[in-house]
Amino acid sequence: MIDLRRVRANFDRRAQTFLTALASVQVGPPRPRDRVAAYVAMELQTALGRVARSVYLAHAVHGRTASGTKTGLRLYPSYHAALLGAAKVIKPKAAQVPGRDEPAWHSPHHFGVVSSGHGFPITVVTGMDPWVDTIRAVKYLRHFYAHRNQSTWEEVRDEMFSQFAFVMTGHPSEALVSGAPGSPTPFLEGWVWDYVDTVANLCG
């Protein structure tokens, strides 16, 4: 059975690894900062997806909250059946990459549609909502580090301005690891903490 307390604890340990890595490169040559920024951005989205998938399965298969309380929502007899059920809920309501067998678990929209479609408690359905801007920014950042071209740089630049009123002129890693002028917390560090709160929200 999936233990959501353990899921949350595992994520918190991972987040601490991210924060330690970011702290170690806030000053120093640009190249290590770029490597760490890329690592954190790529892994944050992946880690959140794993947590969201576990939360869905815990409710859909076991019908239990993080404390072990029964919710009465045991909808499927197995993980496989639950994942097929999630795909059936999401496909008519959200665009998917052709051939994808599951929802994009890191997506607040996909997770919300699947959770509400199965009648999960509203606290689960809206678990990612307070941090949508952060999750969206990390998605664009991950895309940039995966492709590193002009169009993905422009996506990050536009997102940073529209969501955070930050004018990014140079390489994203510099701003994301060093922080905006006058800000005590670098963007990526703050986003890691937002993800910690998101996971706490999801796992209860």
Side-chain angles (χ1 to χ4, degrees), residues 91-116:
K91 282 182 179 176
K93 298 184 179 181
Q96 283 195 297
V97 177
R100 184 190 291 276
D101 294 327
E102 296 183 42
W105 291 110
H106 61 270
S107 161
H109 175 67
H110 276 213
F111 183 78
V113 168
V114 171
S115 299
S116 60

Side-chain angles (χ1 to χ4, degrees), residues 21-118:
L22 287 169
S24 72
V25 296
Q26 282 182 15
V27 293
R31 191 165 179 178
R33 275 182 273 180
D34 181 61
R35 282 201 307 268
V36 168
Y39 159 69
V40 172
M42 300 290 275
E43 292 301 316
L44 261 180
Q45 188 181 53
T46 301
L48 179 62
R50 288 174 179 156
V51 169
R53 188 178 191 261
S54 296
V55 170
Y56 165 74
L57 291 173
H59 283 79
V61 178
H62 305 301
R64 291 179 183 272
T65 65
S67 65
T69 305
K70 291 183 179 180
T71 63
L73 286 173
R74 190 173 185 277
L75 303 171
Y76 298 101
S78 69
Y79 295 149
H80 179 69
L83 293 173
L84 287 177
K88 287 177 182 177
V89 169
I90 200 74
K91 282 182 179 176
K93 298 184 179 181
Q96 283 195 297
V97 177
R100 184 190 291 276
D101 294 327
E102 296 183 42
W105 291 110
H106 61 270
S107 161
H109 175 67
H110 276 213
F111 183 78
V113 168
V114 171
S115 299
S116 60
H118 285 82

